[in-house]
Structures are given as C-alpha cells and as structure tokens.
Amino acid sequence: MAHAEATGDPRPLRVLFSMRNFWYVRIFEPVLRRLADRGHHVHILAERPERPENAAEWREAADALAAAYPTITYDWAPRSVEDGWLDLRVMVRLGLDHLRFLGPEYGDAPALGARARARAPRLIVDLADGPILGSAAGRRLLWLALRLIERAVPPDPDLTACIDAQRADVVLLTPLLDLGSEQFDVLRAARRRGVPSALCVGSWDHLSSKALIREQPDRVVVWNQTQKREAVEQHGFPPDRVEVTGAQCFDLWFDRAPSRSRELFCRHVGLDPGRPYVLYACSALFEGSPSEAAFVREWIAAVRAIDDGALRDASILVRPHPKRGFEWDDVDLSALPDVALWPPRGAAPLDDASQADYFDSMYHSAAIVGLNSSALIEGGIIGRAVHTVLLPEFYESQEGTLHFRYLIDGGLLRVARDMPTHLAQLATSVAGADAAVHHNRAFVEAFVRPGGLDVPATPALAAAIERLGRTPVPALGEAWWARPLRAALVPLARRTRGTFAQQLSRERR
C-alpha cells in the first residue's frame, strides 16, 4: 500500500472525525478521499443540525463519499435523553465563552461579544458585569471557577460509549470552537483513553472569532503562520504542538482550467460576451446585518453613474451567498441592463458541476467585489483583482472581526473607505485586468499555501493525521478533586435540568 511506503507501518488507521455538522464534509473532502485511497477507515460523526430541514442537504457530500468508498462511514452523534448534566454543562461552557470576548482585544469587535453574551446564562452575564467580579481580576476568578466546574461535570454517557465502540486510532475534531460546543465531550473521551487527537482548523476565522480551546488536543493543525500565532498567543498552545499544513479546502482552485469559454459562460448566465464583467460575490454576514441585496442595488446604481466608460458599461454578475439566499427572494434585477443574478439564491460549490460554474464565474471576470467572504480568497488564488469597500453599516462584519484584517494586512484586498474611491480602484482593474494577475501571489503563498504555491495542502494534512495516528499518547485520568466536586454539584445539576439547553435550541431555530 502507498501509505505503508510513506510511514513504514502497514496497518490501516481507524480515524474518527467529529464534525459540528455535515457541512464540514465539503471542507475536508479532499483529505477524506486521500485517507480512504491510502487504505484508512474514516468514520464521520456529526452533530444533528438545529434546523432539521438542513439535515438532508448537508448530508449529500457524506452520502457521495460513502458511496464511493466502503471505508468511509458516517452517523449522527448520539445524545443521551437522560443526561442529567446537560443543562449545567451547556450553561458553564457558554459562560466561559462569554468571558473570552470581554477581553480588551475584542474591544473593536462588538458583534463577537454580543453574540456570545446573548447565548450565555443571565446569572453569569450579571456576575461578569457586577461590582465584585466585573474587574479583570474578578472575571479571571470567575473563569477559573467555571473551568473547575466544567472539568468536574461528566461528558455525555451515550457519546462516550459511541467513542469507545469506534476503537479509533486517532480522533479529529472540527471546528470544536463553536460557542458551547458539545465536541469537547468527544475530545475528553479521547484524552481519557489515550487516543491521539487533533483540532483541524476549518476556516480562517475559527481561532479568532469563536471559543477558547480549553481542553487541548494533542495537535492543532492550521493553515498558516498567522493561525499558528493565534493558537499559541490566544489559546495557549505550545508551538511544537501546532502544525502548519496549508488550506486544503482551497486546493481545488489551483491549476484548474475553465469548463467553457468566456463567450459560452456569459451567454449561459445572460450577460453580453462583448463586455468585461465584474463579479459581486455576496457574503454570510452577521445575523442582524443590513440587507446586502439592498446594498448591491445601490452599488450597481453607483457603477452605472460613474464617468469612467469602461466600468460604467461593464456587465455585472451578482452571486448570492447560499446562507443568505433568502435576501434575494423579492429582488428583481431584470430591469437593469446587463446585470445577472446567478444562481438566483446562491449555490455552494459542492459537486463537480457547481464547482465548475463557480470557478468559471471568477475566472472569466475582470474583477471581484465583496464585503467579507472566502470568495475573496478564492478570487485571489485565481489571480483576479479583489476589491472591497468599508462602510459603517457593515463594520461589524468587516473590521469588527479579527480575521478580516488579515486580508487587508496581507495585501489581498484593494480597500476603499468610500464609494468614489472604490469605484476609481475598480475602474482601474476593469481597464487592465490582466496586469493584476500576480498581485495576489505573496498573500496566497503566505496564507493559503505556505509550503509553496506548487505544494498542495491536502497531502500535508493527510500525512500529519497519519503521523499523529501512529504516535502513542498517555491516557489522562481525572484530577483527584473532580469526583468530590462533582458530588457537590449534583444539587445544582438537578436544579438546572430542563431549564436552559432546550430553550436555547428553540431560540436559535
């Protein structure tokens, strides 16, 4: 077998991959396929979605993998209906997550703090705001107390039994860092049984905008040195336990050719092939943000009013974000000349056909515009000029996040703080699109493929998983104080049972 030659060990690994939901299958699909090709067995364990209508759609990628590889299986993560510790466990975790975003480094990121505060128990919010524990030292004491409780509360028994039944050689988790994440139970079970574990970072914002890694796996696998610095400085990870492999989710956009000519593509989406077009790629903005669909109409009107003839007469292709396609249900752009909305509600590039459509839309464009989306990174990989305009109404979704600043600081984005400057920059790109092809090289190499533009991330991540799966790690038992503290917490667990978790789930739906 190929993996035997690479590692010297002929034994296939049993890989358990815990995912927040099946949406993450598409992010790690290249690695899952490579592990299966190398003879390993992969079992995907996903949390049930809060909205049941998403379950079938999100599971399509897992269905396709299981059909192609008999060594890839999947299931829903079990949850005990008789778990008397559920509410207390969720309350404590969300309280700890809330405390993270009270730190000074998040002073310019109010939306992140507001999101965590809205989900945290009112008692913990009030304590953190109060006169006794509201200081930095007081909040530190509150954090330590909650952390002790978290470590004493037992993990879900049914989930623990499921982990035992898998007999995994290595446990992978993504994203792990969701607010109140239940995946910490998977990690605790693995660590107590001496199974090597790794957090596989799934997106460029996960380490900076979500929860702390309070229970540390044996490895954190990241895209680049920026994320490694986040893991070390923000989450307290030893540098030698953070491995940089590149961003495997972007491998499919390198060395790819368009599926059709520019003329055929333009006719396919309803644009004039004789004109250059600008691609506006919509974003998954924070909940409560202004309508991006309304902003796009204003943006189109501004483009059509500009004096520069090349930009004014350019075609415009608007691509909705699949998570906010509802914004476009009542929007009609048909009266606007040479403007196309395609696909009408957006579509995630999950299969070969949709990936080809998405790539073609970027490849044939003269420039790409967006607010804050991974499409900006993908456009940079393909070599297009990537633009954004920073407006006060979208501050929370742009500069109000830490990760968006990496695109600015890294030199990917052509940034403007007002519409006239943005349009002038965009006109320059439309007039000479080919001259900007190599502008993004330094950013892409540093952020997406730190091993070199010709070095894909997928083999590097698969190799890191194989190495970890063959590395013995000690089983970590309970601290001596955990059992007596747990006994003392039984009355509190009984008092909170049924009071929080189900209500929170209803509010999210």
Side-chain angles (χ1 to χ4, degrees):
M1 286 186 178
H3 71 274
E5 297 174 2
T7 65
D9 187 341
R11 180 176 58 91
L13 294 174
R14 294 183 60 85
V15 180
L16 175 65
F17 206 146
S18 169
M19 298 183 176
R20 171 67 180 85
N21 52 52
F22 284 118
W23 178 263
Y24 288 90
V25 172
R26 69 183 183 92
I27 297 176
F28 290 94
E29 181 177 353
V31 176
L32 296 172
R33 288 182 179 275
R34 186 171 181 87
L35 291 172
D37 286 336
R38 293 171 69 79
H40 306 302
H41 181 277
V42 182
H43 183 69
I44 303 167
L45 198 63
E47 307 288 339
R48 290 189 181 275
E50 293 166 356
R51 295 181 175 88
E53 63 270 20
N54 291 334
E57 177 186 355
W58 290 1
R59 209 178 59 213
E60 288 179 359
D63 287 335
L65 283 176
Y69 295 95
T71 55
I72 295 181
T73 56
Y74 67 87
D75 202 355
W76 299 109
R79 285 295 164 189
S80 174
V81 295
E82 299 298 329
D83 180 8
W85 295 93
L86 172 62
D87 290 274
L88 182 58
R89 186 188 303 118
V90 174
M91 292 170 76
V92 168
R93 286 177 178 168
L94 287 172
L96 285 164
D97 296 339
H98 166 59
L99 292 178
R100 177 189 190 187
F101 295 101
L102 297 178
E105 63 272 30
Y106 291 99
D108 294 329
L112 298 177
R115 180 179 61 183
R117 183 185 185 92
R119 298 184 184 183
R122 177 51 49 189
L123 173 61
I124 296 177
V125 171
D126 290 343
L127 287 173
D129 290 345
I132 299 177
L133 297 176
S135 65
R139 288 171 177 170
R140 177 63 180 168
L141 288 175
L142 179 58
W143 191 92
L144 290 172
L146 292 175
R147 182 70 181 111
L148 288 174
I149 295 173
E150 182 184 35
R151 292 178 63 187
V153 171
D156 183 283
D158 286 358
L159 182 60
T160 301
C162 175
I163 304 303
D164 289 340
Q166 287 300 316
R167 296 179 293 108
D169 297 301
V170 60
V171 171
L172 311 176
L173 306 105
T174 195
L176 180 64
L177 303 170
D178 277 331
L179 300 180
S181 176
E182 299 169 337
Q183 291 183 293
F184 280 107
D185 288 347
V186 178
L187 178 56
R188 290 179 67 183
R191 295 188 63 191
R192 290 187 180 183
R193 285 149 184 79
V195 180
S197 57
L199 163 61
C200 297
V201 174
S203 184
W204 49 310
D205 66 324
H206 283 179
L207 290 170
S208 63
S209 68
K210 298 185 182 294
L212 280 175
I213 310 174
R214 298 185 298 273
E215 195 96 14
Q216 291 195 346
D218 298 292
R219 295 285 186 279
V220 175
V221 187
V222 299
W223 293 4
N224 48 50
Q225 291 298 325
T226 297
Q227 288 187 338
K228 181 172 183 175
R229 186 172 64 252
E230 289 177 336
V232 173
E233 296 178 359
Q234 297 184 28
H235 298 270
F237 249 84
D240 61 352
R241 288 170 56 189
V242 184
E243 189 158 357
V244 176
T245 61
Q248 83 294 326
C249 55
F250 294 126
D251 276 350
L252 75 165
W253 308 122
F254 287 85
D255 303 320
R256 188 180 185 121
S259 65
R260 72 204 98 182
S261 69
R262 185 181 181 282
E263 179 178 358
L264 288 177
F265 177 78
C266 287
R267 295 192 185 284
H268 176 68
V269 299
L271 296 178
D272 182 352
R275 300 181 181 184
Y277 72 84
V278 175
L279 172 64
Y280 187 100
C282 296
S283 305
L285 305 175
F286 273 118
E287 187 174 345
S289 297
S291 168
E292 190 171 13
F295 167 72
V296 169
R297 288 191 66 100
E298 297 173 3
W299 176 81
I300 293 172
V303 169
R304 292 294 185 244
I306 194 174
D307 290 336
D308 183 278
L311 176 58
R312 183 186 63 240
D313 298 333
S315 301
I316 296 173
L317 177 61
V318 180
R319 185 178 178 92
H321 194 283
K323 290 186 177 180
R324 290 178 69 94
F326 60 87
E327 287 190 344
W328 298 92
D329 287 346
D330 299 321
V331 177
D332 184 7
L333 302 181
S334 61
L336 301 178
D338 221 26
V339 175
L341 181 69
W342 180 85
R345 293 184 103 253
L350 301 179
D351 54 31
D352 290 341
S354 60
Q355 289 169 1
D357 285 344
Y358 182 48
F359 180 85
D360 289 355
S361 70
M362 293 187 289
Y363 183 87
H364 292 304
S365 69
I368 298 173
V369 177
L371 295 178
N372 185 1
S373 168
S374 60
L376 304 176
I377 299 176
E378 290 155 345
I381 292 170
I382 292 171
R384 295 297 166 264
V386 185
H387 293 261
T388 195
V389 55
L390 305 177
L391 299 174
E393 59 266 37
F394 294 108
Y395 174 86
E396 292 183 343
S397 293
Q398 293 182 302
E399 292 178 288
T401 67
L402 273 64
H403 66 280
F404 179 74
R405 303 171 195 175
Y406 300 147
L407 306 189
I408 299 176
D409 297 342
L412 173 68
L413 296 181
R414 283 101 167 138
V415 181
R417 292 191 174 274
D418 56 70
M419 191 63 72
T421 303
H422 165 66
L423 295 175
Q425 293 173 342
L426 187 58
T428 299
S429 294
V430 171
D434 292 340
V437 167
H438 299 298
H439 177 90
N440 310 316
R441 181 184 181 95
F443 171 85
V444 174
E445 189 160 19
F447 203 79
V448 181
R449 282 193 169 178
L453 289 180
D454 59 345
V455 180
T458 297
L461 177 53
I465 293 168
E466 289 179 335
R467 286 193 299 272
L468 180 60
R470 306 194 191 286
T471 303
V473 299
L476 300 180
E478 263 193 332
W480 63 268
W481 48 262
R483 187 164 295 181
L485 178 55
R486 182 159 59 246
L489 290 170
V490 168
L492 182 58
R494 289 173 177 168
R495 184 174 179 179
T496 57
R497 184 173 182 179
T499 65
F500 187 79
Q502 290 183 357
Q503 177 184 349
L504 180 69
S505 181
R506 286 195 299 269
E507 290 173 354
R508 291 182 185 177
R509 288 196 294 269

